Structure formats: C-alpha cells, structure tokens
C-alpha cells in the first residue's frame, strides 16, 4: 500500500491507450496539436490568455519567478512553500531573488501580513516584486486557501503593483474540496500552473498559464533551461485524459484520507486536520522516531513518507478504500508490537 505520495500513481491502461494514440508534432516549434489543445484548454479553465506546457511543476515555478523578477528582488511567500523548501534553491540560483517568508496558518497568510511585507521600506532593502501562493499547500498539510483570503492577499499585492504567482500543483484537489471553479483561483493572479503528475495520475507534465506577454517571456526561460520539447503530445495526451477522467474522482481520495485520519486517531495517533488528500501524523506519542515508525510500517508493506518528524500519508488514484483499511491495520500492528 503506497501512501508515499500522489506522485506514485501509474498511468492506467486507458490513459496509456490515449497516450499511444496521440497526434504529435514539434512542441518546441509550437506545432504539436495535442500540446496546443491542452494549453488552450487549461488557459481557458483558469481564465487566462495563454498557456505553456512544461515537463515539471518545478520548472513552472523556476521560469515564472524568472519572468516576474530581476536579480536582487525579493519574493514574498510562505515559510514552508515548495519554492523555498523543495526546489534546490532554484529561484535564488536562476533568478537571483531572495525570499521574504511569512508564517501564516499552515501555509496560508493574510492580507495584513502581505501589506506589511510589501510596505515601502528603506532604500537599502531588497524590493519585493512578487507574491507566491500555493494551493493546496503541501507542507501546510494539503490545506486549502479560503477564496476570500486568497483574493484579499492578491488585492493587497495589486495595490502595491506587485503580481501574484500561484503554485497550483494540487489546484484540483482544492477546487474539488471547496466546490470552487478553477477560474476562481486563476483570475485573481497573474500566473498559475497545475501539475498532472500528482493526484491526476499522468506520467509527465504541467501547464503554466498567464497573459500572452508573460507566456512569451517564460517560453524563453523554458528554452534556456532545456525545457523545450519535441513530440510532447505523447505526454500531453495523458494530461488531457486526466482532465477528462481524473478530476472529479479526487473526492474519493479526500474521503479516503479522512477515513485514514479517523482510523489513526482511533489508534491514539495525533493527526493534523485533513482538508484534502494528505494526512500528517505526529508519531511522537509512540516513542518511535518518524524514521523508525516508517521502517516498521514498511516491513508490513505500507509506505508513507516524512518531513523531519512529521509523517505524511497521501491518498491517490492507486489507493482504494480497502487499501486504507489495510494501512490502518498495519499501523495498529506496529503499535501492538510496542506493547
Ligand atoms: C510536487 C510539487 C511541485 C513540483 O512539481 P514537480 O512536477 O514534481 O516538479 C511544486 N509545488 C508543489 C506544491 C508540489 O507539491
């Protein structure tokens, strides 16, 4: 039972057929019809003029930050955003920006903190030129920004003439959990992207959207990073298939995560509030380190991951309701061994 991450999904047989049948061209030259179809569709869904297909979400963040900033600028983002924690310092290395980190509530900060970060400061300080949000917030716990708070933060940024970029690696988890439309999250910001390799279950690809000029600027950065591709319709076909078949079913992943959290709580484990497809678990009450806990669990064929001492279990396409019960039983057995 693999709860390590929703990146562990394998393409389904039907997705593989869609991939095999994909019409292809040359993505780098803008002539791959399947890629063009995907980009147009995602741009429309998110309420933006244009979209660009990229190999990974990490590259979406890399090129978007580059297009929005100049070396020496500051980007304002949450303390534990993916850009800060998990992209090997790409924003610093490639764009030369430094970060102004806001604490917030499990990845979500408010308009007051944003206003404070963007307030005119001393001439010596780095100039804040971009606000970066993350929906859902991964290290925050798969948390969903409330739409009003998200809009309020974007409004503050715009009052300071600062654009907003949203890392929407799991945007569809947020729309399904909150009953909102993708365009609700796209329209308030200058750029936003979605990942197809998380809960959507495709093997490769992410789409970044924004205004036409912005997309032309990021196309240059993408090429410079070696991200321009050839017959990428092979990958885009999996993404289109995922949009048609794997969005609404994210509700099942959320129900499975809620059931997992409930089962673990019944075993006496502390879990953070579960808002989408992630369950974050504090195993300190067992007396085991997170690493030790995971090792014992893995011996029982259940895989989870950890960030320092927090254990994370993620539900996805390849985790059934029955699989969740298997995982709960395995955790119960690990705890029983301790007695
Ligand atoms: C996974 C993830 C990324 C990076 O996406 P890749 O496609 O794995 O490069 C960026 N941001 C968040 C919040 C993520 O969860």
């Amino acid at each position: 039972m693999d709860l390590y991450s929703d990146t562990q999904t394998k393409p389904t047989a039907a997705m593989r057929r869609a991939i095999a049948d994909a019409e292809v061209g040359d993505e780098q030259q803008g002539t791959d019809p399947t890629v063009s179809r995907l980009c147009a569709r995602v741009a429309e869904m998110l309420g933006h003029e244009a979209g660009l297909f990229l190999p990974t979400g990490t590259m979406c963040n890399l090129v978007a930050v580059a297009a929005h900033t100049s070396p020496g600028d500051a980007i304002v983002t949450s303390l534990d955003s993916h850009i800060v924690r998990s992209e090997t310092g790409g924003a610093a290395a490639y764009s030369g920006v430094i970060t102004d980190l806001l604490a917030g509530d499990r990845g979500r900060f408010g308009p007051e903190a944003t206003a404070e970060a963007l307030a005119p400061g001393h001439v010596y300080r780095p100039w804040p030129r971009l606000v970066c949000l993350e929906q859902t917030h991964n290290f925050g716990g798969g948390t969903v920004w409330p739409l009003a708070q998200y809009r309020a933060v974007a409004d503050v940024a715009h009052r300071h003439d600062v654009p907003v970029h949203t890392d929407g690696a799991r945007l569809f988890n947020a729309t399904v959990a909150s009953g909102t439309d993708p365009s609700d999250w796209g329209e308030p910001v200058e750029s936003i992207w979605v990942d197809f390799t998380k809960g959507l279950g495709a093997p490769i690809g992410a789409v970044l959207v924004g205004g036409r000029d912005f997309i032309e600027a990021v196309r240059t950065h993408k090429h410079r990073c070696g991200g321009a591709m050839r017959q990428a319709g092979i990958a885009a076909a999996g993404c289109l298939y995922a949009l048609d078949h794997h969005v609404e079913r994210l509700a099942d992943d959320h129900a499975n995560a809620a059931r997992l959290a409930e089962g673990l709580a019944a075993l006496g484990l502390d879990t953070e509030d579960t808002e989408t497809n992630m369950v974050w678990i504090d195993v300190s009450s067992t007396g085991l380190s997170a690493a030790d806990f995971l090792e014992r669990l893995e011996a029982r064929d259940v895989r989870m991951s950890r960030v320092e001492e927090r254990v994370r279990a993620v539900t996805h396409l390849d985790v059934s309701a029955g699989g969740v019960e298997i995982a709960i039983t395995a955790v119960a057995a690990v705890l029983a061994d301790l007695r």
Side-chain angles (χ1 to χ4, degrees):
M1 197 31 52
D2 197 343
L3 298 160
Y4 185 89
S5 171
D6 46 9
T7 56
Q8 301 300 301
T9 51
K10 304 269 192 340
T12 62
M15 181 182 280
R16 285 172 189 265
R17 278 196 295 279
I19 289 169
D21 292 342
E23 200 188 337
V24 296
D26 188 333
E27 189 274 334
Q28 191 169 116
Q29 298 185 355
T31 61
D32 185 296
T34 307
V35 170
S36 301
R37 206 145 47 82
L38 175 68
C39 290
R41 181 161 166 193
V42 176
E44 216 224 301
M45 283 177 92
L46 292 169
H48 279 274
E49 283 177 353
L52 193 63
F53 190 51
L54 288 107
T56 64
T58 300
M59 199 184 281
C60 290
N61 281 335
L62 190 75
V63 298
V65 169
H68 283 303
T69 62
S70 303
D73 289 346
I75 62 172
V76 175
T77 187
S78 59
L79 202 55
D80 49 2
S81 64
H82 198 278
I83 289 182
V84 171
R85 282 193 71 132
S86 295
E87 297 179 7
T88 64
Y94 186 77
S95 300
V97 296
I98 69 163
T99 47
D100 186 355
L101 304 178
L102 305 185
D105 161 36
R106 302 176 75 202
R108 300 161 292 199
F109 47 86
E112 300 80 14
T114 309
E116 214 169 290
L118 299 181
H122 198 275
V123 68
Y124 295 168
R125 75 171 189 156
W127 205 249
R129 297 280 187 204
L130 182 66
V131 173
C132 295
L133 309 179
E134 192 175 308
Q135 177 75 313
T136 64
H137 202 287
N138 181 358
F139 296 114
T143 49
V144 181
W145 280 75
L147 186 54
Q149 183 178 349
Y150 181 89
R151 285 190 178 132
V153 165
D155 283 348
V156 167
H158 297 152
R159 255 183 270 136
H160 290 83
D161 283 328
V162 170
V164 182
H165 167 73
T166 297
D167 170 340
R170 294 186 181 81
L171 183 72
F172 292 112
N173 291 92
T175 59
V176 167
S178 61
T180 51
D181 193 85
S183 64
D184 290 333
W185 308 96
E187 278 161 6
V189 300
E190 279 62 34
S191 58
I192 182 169
W193 61 272
V194 293
D195 213 335
F196 290 93
T197 65
K198 302 280 164 85
L200 293 190
I204 302 167
V207 173
L208 171 65
V209 306
R212 254 181 260 291
D213 292 346
F214 170 81
I215 290 299
E216 282 321 303
V218 294
R219 193 189 303 281
T220 304
H221 288 293
K222 174 191 170 193
H223 201 104
R224 192 172 290 158
C225 294
M229 295 172 278
R230 299 298 186 185
Q231 287 72 42
I234 291 284
C239 304
L240 283 164
Y241 182 89
L243 283 180
D244 288 332
H245 299 280
H246 292 171
V247 175
E248 272 138 51
R249 64 150 307 286
L250 292 171
D252 300 342
D253 296 344
H254 300 168
N256 285 338
R259 167 61 194 138
L260 179 61
E262 178 193 83
L264 297 177
L267 295 173
L269 291 174
D270 261 351
T271 58
E272 297 171 12
D273 285 344
T274 296
E275 298 187 19
T276 53
N277 67 331
M278 291 181 189
V279 182
W280 288 83
I281 312 151
D282 177 355
V283 296
S284 58
S285 64
T286 64
L288 297 174
S289 69
D292 219 5
F293 176 83
L294 291 181
E295 199 175 307
R296 286 166 186 248
L297 204 52
E298 218 155 308
R300 296 181 177 277
D301 290 327
V302 172
R303 218 170 145 236
M304 296 181 184
S305 63
R306 72 184 173 94
V307 175
E308 282 124 34
E309 283 304 309
R310 293 162 80 209
V311 169
R312 189 185 77 163
V314 186
T315 56
H316 53 76
L317 192 57
D318 295 339
V319 176
S320 63
V324 167
E325 299 308 322
I326 290 170
I328 294 169
T329 304
V331 171
V334 167
L335 299 184
D337 284 349
L338 297 173
R339 286 194 207 110

